[in-house]
mmCIF file of all heavy atoms in Angstrom:
data_model
loop_
_atom_site.group_PDB
_atom_site.id
_atom_site.type_symbol
_atom_site.label_atom_id
_atom_site.label_comp_id
_atom_site.label_asym_id
_atom_site.label_seq_id
_atom_site.Cartn_x
_atom_site.Cartn_y
_atom_site.Cartn_z
ATOM 1 N N ARG A 11 24.487 13.186 16.167
ATOM 2 C CA ARG A 11 25.543 13.965 15.417
ATOM 3 C C ARG A 11 26.444 13.223 14.505
ATOM 4 O O ARG A 11 26.611 13.700 13.387
ATOM 5 C CB ARG A 11 26.511 14.591 16.489
ATOM 6 C CG ARG A 11 25.734 15.755 17.417
ATOM 7 C CD ARG A 11 26.542 16.040 18.575
ATOM 8 N NE ARG A 11 26.887 14.785 19.437
ATOM 9 C CZ ARG A 11 27.648 14.813 20.550
ATOM 10 N NH1 ARG A 11 28.112 15.947 20.995
ATOM 11 N NH2 ARG A 11 27.859 13.722 21.222
ATOM 12 N N LEU A 12 26.685 12.027 14.800
ATOM 13 C CA LEU A 12 27.491 11.153 13.977
ATOM 14 C C LEU A 12 26.584 10.660 12.865
ATOM 15 O O LEU A 12 26.956 10.681 11.654
ATOM 16 C CB LEU A 12 27.921 9.859 14.655
ATOM 17 C CG LEU A 12 28.730 8.891 13.859
ATOM 18 C CD1 LEU A 12 30.003 9.544 13.139
ATOM 19 C CD2 LEU A 12 29.081 7.539 14.562
ATOM 20 N N ALA A 13 25.263 10.392 13.059
ATOM 21 C CA ALA A 13 24.297 10.064 12.067
ATOM 22 C C ALA A 13 24.193 11.138 11.019
ATOM 23 O O ALA A 13 24.161 10.875 9.817
ATOM 24 C CB ALA A 13 22.902 9.721 12.613
ATOM 25 N N ALA A 14 24.118 12.359 11.554
ATOM 26 C CA ALA A 14 23.956 13.546 10.576
ATOM 27 C C ALA A 14 25.220 13.731 9.711
ATOM 28 O O ALA A 14 25.211 14.035 8.618
ATOM 29 C CB ALA A 14 23.731 14.837 11.354
ATOM 30 N N ARG A 15 26.435 13.457 10.323
ATOM 31 C CA ARG A 15 27.718 13.569 9.656
ATOM 32 C C ARG A 15 27.779 12.570 8.559
ATOM 33 O O ARG A 15 28.403 12.842 7.474
ATOM 34 C CB ARG A 15 28.851 13.451 10.593
ATOM 35 C CG ARG A 15 30.193 13.728 9.961
ATOM 36 C CD ARG A 15 31.335 14.080 10.946
ATOM 37 N NE ARG A 15 31.737 12.797 11.627
ATOM 38 C CZ ARG A 15 32.614 11.991 11.135
ATOM 39 N NH1 ARG A 15 33.282 12.249 9.989
ATOM 40 N NH2 ARG A 15 33.061 10.941 11.860
ATOM 41 N N LEU A 16 27.215 11.471 8.735
ATOM 42 C CA LEU A 16 27.313 10.328 7.797
ATOM 43 C C LEU A 16 26.130 10.353 6.806
ATOM 44 O O LEU A 16 26.079 9.569 5.849
ATOM 45 C CB LEU A 16 27.171 8.980 8.492
ATOM 46 C CG LEU A 16 28.427 8.660 9.467
ATOM 47 C CD1 LEU A 16 28.176 7.323 10.171
ATOM 48 C CD2 LEU A 16 29.708 8.776 8.763
ATOM 49 N N GLY A 17 25.151 11.433 7.040
ATOM 50 C CA GLY A 17 24.072 11.448 6.155
ATOM 51 C C GLY A 17 23.102 10.340 6.320
ATOM 52 O O GLY A 17 22.344 9.961 5.316
ATOM 53 N N LEU A 18 22.962 9.744 7.494
ATOM 54 C CA LEU A 18 22.101 8.575 7.673
ATOM 55 C C LEU A 18 20.711 9.049 8.258
ATOM 56 O O LEU A 18 20.768 9.757 9.164
ATOM 57 C CB LEU A 18 22.639 7.577 8.691
ATOM 58 C CG LEU A 18 23.847 6.886 8.199
ATOM 59 C CD1 LEU A 18 24.546 6.037 9.298
ATOM 60 C CD2 LEU A 18 23.367 5.872 7.097
ATOM 61 N N GLU A 19 19.727 8.532 7.679
ATOM 62 C CA GLU A 19 18.330 8.788 8.112
ATOM 63 C C GLU A 19 17.733 7.487 8.609
ATOM 64 O O GLU A 19 16.451 7.381 8.852
ATOM 65 C CB GLU A 19 17.470 9.357 7.010
ATOM 66 C CG GLU A 19 17.971 10.794 6.589
ATOM 67 C CD GLU A 19 17.020 11.468 5.582
ATOM 68 O OE1 GLU A 19 16.156 10.727 5.120
ATOM 69 O OE2 GLU A 19 17.258 12.672 5.277
ATOM 70 N N ARG A 20 18.517 6.435 8.680
ATOM 71 C CA ARG A 20 18.046 5.041 9.190
ATOM 72 C C ARG A 20 19.282 4.349 9.827
ATOM 73 O O ARG A 20 20.380 4.792 9.580
ATOM 74 C CB ARG A 20 17.352 4.243 8.189
ATOM 75 C CG ARG A 20 18.070 4.311 6.824
ATOM 76 C CD ARG A 20 18.585 2.890 6.537
ATOM 77 N NE ARG A 20 19.087 2.737 5.189
ATOM 78 C CZ ARG A 20 19.437 1.497 4.688
ATOM 79 N NH1 ARG A 20 19.393 0.395 5.499
ATOM 80 N NH2 ARG A 20 19.874 1.312 3.398
ATOM 81 N N GLN A 21 19.051 3.173 10.381
ATOM 82 C CA GLN A 21 20.141 2.478 10.871
ATOM 83 C C GLN A 21 20.989 1.872 9.784
ATOM 84 O O GLN A 21 20.456 1.432 8.743
ATOM 85 C CB GLN A 21 19.654 1.216 11.717
ATOM 86 C CG GLN A 21 18.685 0.192 11.081
ATOM 87 C CD GLN A 21 17.289 0.424 11.178
ATOM 88 O OE1 GLN A 21 16.890 1.580 11.458
ATOM 89 N NE2 GLN A 21 16.492 -0.495 10.779
ATOM 90 N N TRP A 22 22.342 1.811 9.946
ATOM 91 C CA TRP A 22 23.164 1.266 8.935
ATOM 92 C C TRP A 22 23.185 -0.160 9.083
ATOM 93 O O TRP A 22 24.008 -0.775 9.812
ATOM 94 C CB TRP A 22 24.633 1.845 9.134
ATOM 95 C CG TRP A 22 25.483 1.747 7.937
ATOM 96 C CD1 TRP A 22 26.006 2.795 7.158
ATOM 97 C CD2 TRP A 22 25.885 0.632 7.350
ATOM 98 N NE1 TRP A 22 26.672 2.304 6.152
ATOM 99 C CE2 TRP A 22 26.804 0.959 5.957
ATOM 100 C CE3 TRP A 22 25.837 -0.852 7.409
ATOM 101 C CZ2 TRP A 22 27.278 0.118 5.231
ATOM 102 C CZ3 TRP A 22 26.421 -1.724 6.464
ATOM 103 C CH2 TRP A 22 27.135 -1.242 5.457
ATOM 104 N N LEU A 23 22.302 -0.871 8.429
ATOM 105 C CA LEU A 23 22.072 -2.265 8.634
ATOM 106 C C LEU A 23 21.521 -2.909 7.283
ATOM 107 O O LEU A 23 20.650 -2.407 6.795
ATOM 108 C CB LEU A 23 21.118 -2.692 9.694
ATOM 109 C CG LEU A 23 20.766 -4.067 10.014
ATOM 110 C CD1 LEU A 23 22.170 -4.872 10.427
ATOM 111 C CD2 LEU A 23 19.830 -4.214 11.225
ATOM 112 N N HIS A 24 22.228 -3.893 6.762
ATOM 113 C CA HIS A 24 21.941 -4.364 5.457
ATOM 114 C C HIS A 24 22.016 -5.904 5.466
ATOM 115 O O HIS A 24 22.892 -6.439 5.743
ATOM 116 C CB HIS A 24 22.884 -3.796 4.387
ATOM 117 C CG HIS A 24 22.530 -4.103 3.026
ATOM 118 N ND1 HIS A 24 21.337 -3.714 2.355
ATOM 119 C CD2 HIS A 24 23.231 -4.904 2.051
ATOM 120 C CE1 HIS A 24 21.374 -4.015 1.076
ATOM 121 N NE2 HIS A 24 22.492 -4.901 0.947
ATOM 122 N N ALA A 25 20.824 -6.530 4.905
ATOM 123 C CA ALA A 25 20.880 -8.043 4.688
ATOM 124 C C ALA A 25 21.595 -8.335 3.456
ATOM 125 O O ALA A 25 20.952 -8.262 2.360
ATOM 126 C CB ALA A 25 19.424 -8.461 4.695
ATOM 127 N N SER A 26 22.822 -8.604 3.528
ATOM 128 C CA SER A 26 23.728 -8.743 2.347
ATOM 129 C C SER A 26 23.899 -10.174 1.815
ATOM 130 O O SER A 26 24.330 -10.313 0.595
ATOM 131 C CB SER A 26 25.168 -8.158 2.666
ATOM 132 O OG SER A 26 25.562 -8.860 3.830
ATOM 133 N N GLY A 27 23.476 -11.228 2.400
ATOM 134 C CA GLY A 27 23.675 -12.544 1.994
ATOM 135 C C GLY A 27 22.461 -13.471 2.491
ATOM 136 O O GLY A 27 22.070 -13.301 3.709
ATOM 137 N N LEU A 28 22.108 -14.353 1.558
ATOM 138 C CA LEU A 28 21.074 -15.313 2.067
ATOM 139 C C LEU A 28 21.327 -16.692 1.426
ATOM 140 O O LEU A 28 21.596 -16.638 0.161
ATOM 141 C CB LEU A 28 19.678 -14.666 1.645
ATOM 142 C CG LEU A 28 18.408 -15.458 2.003
ATOM 143 C CD1 LEU A 28 18.342 -15.521 3.493
ATOM 144 C CD2 LEU A 28 17.199 -14.791 1.431
ATOM 145 N N GLY A 29 21.313 -17.674 2.186
ATOM 146 C CA GLY A 29 21.482 -19.103 1.556
ATOM 147 C C GLY A 29 20.525 -20.078 2.111
ATOM 148 O O GLY A 29 20.303 -20.065 3.340
ATOM 149 N N PHE A 30 20.121 -20.903 1.441
ATOM 150 C CA PHE A 30 19.201 -21.975 1.833
ATOM 151 C C PHE A 30 19.176 -23.082 0.788
ATOM 152 O O PHE A 30 19.535 -22.963 -0.379
ATOM 153 C CB PHE A 30 17.831 -21.413 2.233
ATOM 154 C CG PHE A 30 17.205 -20.690 1.119
ATOM 155 C CD1 PHE A 30 16.451 -21.267 0.114
ATOM 156 C CD2 PHE A 30 17.319 -19.310 1.053
ATOM 157 C CE1 PHE A 30 15.844 -20.645 -1.029
ATOM 158 C CE2 PHE A 30 16.748 -18.641 0.029
ATOM 159 C CZ PHE A 30 16.038 -19.084 -1.011
ATOM 160 N N GLU A 31 18.593 -24.274 1.213
ATOM 161 C CA GLU A 31 18.356 -25.377 0.309
ATOM 162 C C GLU A 31 17.055 -25.053 -0.492
ATOM 163 O O GLU A 31 16.077 -24.812 0.176
ATOM 164 C CB GLU A 31 18.300 -26.692 1.025
ATOM 165 C CG GLU A 31 18.021 -27.956 0.131
ATOM 166 C CD GLU A 31 17.915 -29.246 0.846
ATOM 167 O OE1 GLU A 31 18.903 -29.650 1.381
ATOM 168 O OE2 GLU A 31 16.789 -29.750 0.912
ATOM 169 N N HIS A 32 17.050 -25.114 -1.749
ATOM 170 C CA HIS A 32 15.930 -24.752 -2.571
ATOM 171 C C HIS A 32 14.824 -25.736 -2.311
ATOM 172 O O HIS A 32 15.134 -26.957 -2.179
ATOM 173 C CB HIS A 32 16.282 -24.788 -4.060
ATOM 174 C CG HIS A 32 15.170 -24.154 -4.860
ATOM 175 N ND1 HIS A 32 14.053 -24.924 -5.276
ATOM 176 C CD2 HIS A 32 15.011 -22.939 -5.436
ATOM 177 C CE1 HIS A 32 13.330 -24.140 -6.075
ATOM 178 N NE2 HIS A 32 13.913 -22.943 -6.260
ATOM 179 N N PRO A 33 13.655 -25.326 -2.039
ATOM 180 C CA PRO A 33 12.513 -26.162 -1.627
ATOM 181 C C PRO A 33 12.130 -27.248 -2.510
ATOM 182 O O PRO A 33 11.626 -28.318 -2.135
ATOM 183 C CB PRO A 33 11.354 -25.185 -1.336
ATOM 184 C CG PRO A 33 11.631 -24.072 -2.114
ATOM 185 C CD PRO A 33 13.128 -23.884 -2.183
ATOM 186 N N THR A 34 12.316 -27.257 -3.787
ATOM 187 C CA THR A 34 12.015 -28.194 -4.687
ATOM 188 C C THR A 34 13.294 -28.812 -5.441
ATOM 189 O O THR A 34 13.220 -30.046 -5.689
ATOM 190 C CB THR A 34 10.972 -27.779 -5.775
ATOM 191 O OG1 THR A 34 11.521 -26.694 -6.502
ATOM 192 C CG2 THR A 34 9.643 -27.392 -5.100
ATOM 193 N N ARG A 35 14.233 -28.037 -5.726
ATOM 194 C CA ARG A 35 15.451 -28.461 -6.378
ATOM 195 C C ARG A 35 16.403 -29.180 -5.450
ATOM 196 O O ARG A 35 17.398 -29.896 -5.776
ATOM 197 C CB ARG A 35 16.129 -27.333 -7.060
ATOM 198 C CG ARG A 35 15.319 -26.631 -8.108
ATOM 199 C CD ARG A 35 16.099 -25.414 -8.658
ATOM 200 N NE ARG A 35 15.287 -24.662 -9.559
ATOM 201 C CZ ARG A 35 15.518 -23.478 -10.155
ATOM 202 N NH1 ARG A 35 16.742 -23.048 -9.765
ATOM 203 N NH2 ARG A 35 14.806 -22.862 -10.906
ATOM 204 N N HIS A 36 16.276 -29.001 -4.132
ATOM 205 C CA HIS A 36 16.982 -29.533 -3.079
ATOM 206 C C HIS A 36 18.577 -29.257 -3.322
ATOM 207 O O HIS A 36 19.389 -30.214 -2.966
ATOM 208 C CB HIS A 36 16.803 -31.070 -3.077
ATOM 209 C CG HIS A 36 15.349 -31.410 -2.884
ATOM 210 N ND1 HIS A 36 14.566 -31.006 -1.699
ATOM 211 C CD2 HIS A 36 14.489 -32.023 -3.607
ATOM 212 C CE1 HIS A 36 13.374 -31.349 -1.844
ATOM 213 N NE2 HIS A 36 13.267 -31.961 -2.938
ATOM 214 N N GLU A 37 18.920 -28.121 -3.816
ATOM 215 C CA GLU A 37 20.283 -27.764 -3.984
ATOM 216 C C GLU A 37 20.503 -26.425 -3.226
ATOM 217 O O GLU A 37 19.488 -25.642 -3.061
ATOM 218 C CB GLU A 37 20.631 -27.566 -5.509
ATOM 219 C CG GLU A 37 19.827 -26.466 -6.161
ATOM 220 C CD GLU A 37 20.095 -26.346 -7.590
ATOM 221 O OE1 GLU A 37 20.786 -27.162 -8.189
ATOM 222 O OE2 GLU A 37 19.674 -25.356 -8.166
ATOM 223 N N TRP A 38 21.676 -26.156 -2.704
ATOM 224 C CA TRP A 38 21.976 -25.033 -1.941
ATOM 225 C C TRP A 38 22.086 -23.918 -2.851
ATOM 226 O O TRP A 38 22.813 -23.764 -3.862
ATOM 227 C CB TRP A 38 23.248 -25.296 -1.135
ATOM 228 C CG TRP A 38 23.488 -24.067 -0.125
ATOM 229 C CD1 TRP A 38 24.247 -22.989 -0.251
ATOM 230 C CD2 TRP A 38 22.736 -23.924 1.137
ATOM 231 N NE1 TRP A 38 24.163 -22.110 0.795
ATOM 232 C CE2 TRP A 38 23.331 -22.799 1.694
ATOM 233 C CE3 TRP A 38 21.920 -24.711 1.883
ATOM 234 C CZ2 TRP A 38 23.066 -22.243 2.878
ATOM 235 C CZ3 TRP A 38 21.613 -24.271 3.185
ATOM 236 C CH2 TRP A 38 22.051 -23.055 3.665
ATOM 237 N N VAL A 39 21.301 -22.789 -2.434
ATOM 238 C CA VAL A 39 21.313 -21.614 -3.365
ATOM 239 C C VAL A 39 21.770 -20.426 -2.585
ATOM 240 O O VAL A 39 21.413 -20.328 -1.349
ATOM 241 C CB VAL A 39 19.873 -21.276 -4.023
ATOM 242 C CG1 VAL A 39 19.594 -22.377 -5.097
ATOM 243 C CG2 VAL A 39 18.884 -21.209 -2.954
ATOM 244 N N THR A 40 22.476 -19.501 -3.135
ATOM 245 C CA THR A 40 22.856 -18.337 -2.340
ATOM 246 C C THR A 40 22.664 -17.045 -3.149
ATOM 247 O O THR A 40 22.736 -17.126 -4.406
ATOM 248 C CB THR A 40 24.475 -18.402 -1.995
ATOM 249 O OG1 THR A 40 25.223 -18.530 -3.190
ATOM 250 C CG2 THR A 40 24.809 -19.527 -1.068
ATOM 251 N N PHE A 41 22.456 -15.932 -2.447
ATOM 252 C CA PHE A 41 22.193 -14.701 -3.127
ATOM 253 C C PHE A 41 22.876 -13.649 -2.384
ATOM 254 O O PHE A 41 23.098 -13.709 -1.088
ATOM 255 C CB PHE A 41 20.685 -14.431 -3.055
ATOM 256 C CG PHE A 41 19.784 -15.496 -3.705
ATOM 257 C CD1 PHE A 41 19.194 -16.446 -2.898
ATOM 258 C CD2 PHE A 41 19.673 -15.708 -5.035
ATOM 259 C CE1 PHE A 41 18.504 -17.464 -3.408
ATOM 260 C CE2 PHE A 41 18.986 -16.701 -5.486
ATOM 261 C CZ PHE A 41 18.355 -17.654 -4.778
ATOM 262 N N THR A 42 23.351 -12.507 -3.063
ATOM 263 C CA THR A 42 24.118 -11.487 -2.324
ATOM 264 C C THR A 42 23.468 -10.065 -2.802
ATOM 265 O O THR A 42 22.804 -10.046 -3.877
ATOM 266 C CB THR A 42 25.596 -11.557 -2.742
ATOM 267 O OG1 THR A 42 25.688 -11.403 -4.187
ATOM 268 C CG2 THR A 42 26.196 -12.783 -2.266
ATOM 269 N N SER A 43 23.591 -9.127 -2.054
ATOM 270 C CA SER A 43 23.195 -7.881 -2.249
ATOM 271 C C SER A 43 24.351 -6.767 -1.981
ATOM 272 O O SER A 43 24.856 -6.839 -0.906
ATOM 273 C CB SER A 43 21.972 -7.512 -1.431
ATOM 274 O OG SER A 43 21.618 -6.143 -1.515
ATOM 275 N N ALA A 44 24.597 -5.878 -2.851
ATOM 276 C CA ALA A 44 25.491 -4.838 -2.601
ATOM 277 C C ALA A 44 24.930 -3.686 -1.696
ATOM 278 O O ALA A 44 23.750 -3.568 -1.611
ATOM 279 C CB ALA A 44 25.953 -4.182 -3.893
ATOM 280 N N PHE A 45 25.780 -2.926 -1.020
ATOM 281 C CA PHE A 45 25.362 -1.905 -0.136
ATOM 282 C C PHE A 45 24.525 -0.775 -1.113
ATOM 283 O O PHE A 45 25.135 -0.568 -2.067
ATOM 284 C CB PHE A 45 26.535 -1.204 0.552
ATOM 285 C CG PHE A 45 27.265 -2.173 1.521
ATOM 286 C CD1 PHE A 45 28.632 -1.981 1.726
ATOM 287 C CD2 PHE A 45 26.607 -3.286 2.060
ATOM 288 C CE1 PHE A 45 29.241 -2.789 2.613
ATOM 289 C CE2 PHE A 45 27.347 -4.186 2.945
ATOM 290 C CZ PHE A 45 28.697 -3.936 3.034
ATOM 291 N N PRO A 46 23.524 -0.395 -0.566
ATOM 292 C CA PRO A 46 22.801 0.693 -1.259
ATOM 293 C C PRO A 46 23.538 2.029 -1.129
ATOM 294 O O PRO A 46 24.430 2.215 -0.300
ATOM 295 C CB PRO A 46 21.388 0.792 -0.788
ATOM 296 C CG PRO A 46 21.576 0.196 0.705
ATOM 297 C CD PRO A 46 22.692 -0.853 0.539
ATOM 298 N N ALA A 47 23.127 3.079 -1.989
ATOM 299 C CA ALA A 47 23.915 4.393 -2.005
ATOM 300 C C ALA A 47 24.069 4.990 -0.726
ATOM 301 O O ALA A 47 25.144 5.533 -0.497
ATOM 302 C CB ALA A 47 23.143 5.249 -3.040
ATOM 303 N N ASP A 48 23.058 4.992 0.089
ATOM 304 C CA ASP A 48 23.201 5.857 1.527
ATOM 305 C C ASP A 48 24.017 5.279 2.335
ATOM 306 O O ASP A 48 24.828 5.868 2.963
ATOM 307 C CB ASP A 48 21.716 5.931 2.150
ATOM 308 C CG ASP A 48 21.168 4.671 2.412
ATOM 309 O OD1 ASP A 48 21.319 3.616 1.779
ATOM 310 O OD2 ASP A 48 20.245 4.662 3.436
ATOM 311 N N LEU A 49 24.125 3.849 2.302
ATOM 312 C CA LEU A 49 25.078 3.123 3.218
ATOM 313 C C LEU A 49 26.649 3.287 2.657
ATOM 314 O O LEU A 49 27.487 3.392 3.479
ATOM 315 C CB LEU A 49 24.702 1.665 3.470
ATOM 316 C CG LEU A 49 23.308 1.571 3.973
ATOM 317 C CD1 LEU A 49 23.074 -0.086 4.303
ATOM 318 C CD2 LEU A 49 23.001 2.270 5.245
ATOM 319 N N SER A 50 26.662 3.176 1.411
ATOM 320 C CA SER A 50 27.937 3.295 0.772
ATOM 321 C C SER A 50 28.570 4.685 0.969
ATOM 322 O O SER A 50 29.709 4.854 1.281
ATOM 323 C CB SER A 50 27.867 3.036 -0.844
ATOM 324 O OG SER A 50 27.609 1.704 -1.033
ATOM 325 N N HIS A 51 27.698 5.710 0.913
ATOM 326 C CA HIS A 51 28.096 7.101 1.180
ATOM 327 C C HIS A 51 28.564 7.174 2.675
ATOM 328 O O HIS A 51 29.662 7.837 2.903
ATOM 329 C CB HIS A 51 26.994 8.020 0.960
ATOM 330 C CG HIS A 51 27.241 9.539 1.409
ATOM 331 N ND1 HIS A 51 28.050 10.321 0.732
ATOM 332 C CD2 HIS A 51 26.824 10.139 2.538
ATOM 333 C CE1 HIS A 51 28.169 11.491 1.353
ATOM 334 N NE2 HIS A 51 27.435 11.420 2.540
ATOM 335 N N ALA A 52 27.824 6.641 3.690
ATOM 336 C CA ALA A 52 28.326 6.671 5.010
ATOM 337 C C ALA A 52 29.546 6.040 5.175
ATOM 338 O O ALA A 52 30.443 6.532 5.986
ATOM 339 C CB ALA A 52 27.239 5.994 5.848
ATOM 340 N N LEU A 53 29.908 4.932 4.494
ATOM 341 C CA LEU A 53 31.171 4.202 4.687
ATOM 342 C C LEU A 53 32.294 5.112 3.981
ATOM 343 O O LEU A 53 33.301 5.146 4.640
ATOM 344 C CB LEU A 53 31.215 2.987 3.849
ATOM 345 C CG LEU A 53 30.700 1.615 4.559
ATOM 346 C CD1 LEU A 53 30.765 0.483 3.646
ATOM 347 C CD2 LEU A 53 31.464 1.404 5.845
ATOM 348 N N ASP A 54 32.044 5.812 2.945
ATOM 349 C CA ASP A 54 32.996 6.655 2.306
ATOM 350 C C ASP A 54 33.402 7.821 3.379
ATOM 351 O O ASP A 54 34.537 8.154 3.536
ATOM 352 C CB ASP A 54 32.461 7.284 1.111
ATOM 353 C CG ASP A 54 32.364 6.249 -0.069
ATOM 354 O OD1 ASP A 54 33.053 5.276 0.040
ATOM 355 O OD2 ASP A 54 31.666 6.619 -1.074
ATOM 356 N N VAL A 55 32.362 8.344 4.028
ATOM 357 C CA VAL A 55 32.616 9.414 4.854
ATOM 358 C C VAL A 55 33.383 8.926 6.164
ATOM 359 O O VAL A 55 34.294 9.567 6.598
ATOM 360 C CB VAL A 55 31.288 9.990 5.362
ATOM 361 C CG1 VAL A 55 31.529 11.120 6.555
ATOM 362 C CG2 VAL A 55 30.625 10.728 4.233
ATOM 363 N N ILE A 56 32.944 7.856 6.808
ATOM 364 C CA ILE A 56 33.647 7.333 7.890
ATOM 365 C C ILE A 56 35.047 6.960 7.669
ATOM 366 O O ILE A 56 35.926 7.006 8.535
ATOM 367 C CB ILE A 56 32.883 6.136 8.582
ATOM 368 C CG1 ILE A 56 33.253 6.085 10.173
ATOM 369 C CG2 ILE A 56 32.992 4.952 7.940
ATOM 370 C CD1 ILE A 56 32.631 7.128 10.927
#
């Protein structure tokens, strides 16, 4: 019922950040990802 109210058709789970030492440059690199539309909508509702 909560899933339906939030408009969710999958689990609210997002891999938002990733960091590691670059395999050849040997420097730490980081990447980020914003929440997609369905997860953002659920946040707005809740």
Side-chain angles (χ1 to χ4, degrees):
R11 295 166 299 181
L12 179 60
R15 185 164 73 86
L16 299 180
L18 289 172
E19 296 183 351
R20 50 108 166 191
Q21 64 267 14
W22 203 115
L23 180 60
H24 185 67
S26 52
L28 187 62
F30 51 86
E31 184 180 291
H32 192 280
T34 58
R35 298 176 186 171
H36 306 297
E37 60 184 13
W38 189 260
V39 292
T40 59
F41 308 97
T42 59
S43 169
F45 301 150
D48 61 334
L49 303 190
S50 293
H51 171 76
L53 273 182
D54 289 341
V55 174
I56 201 73

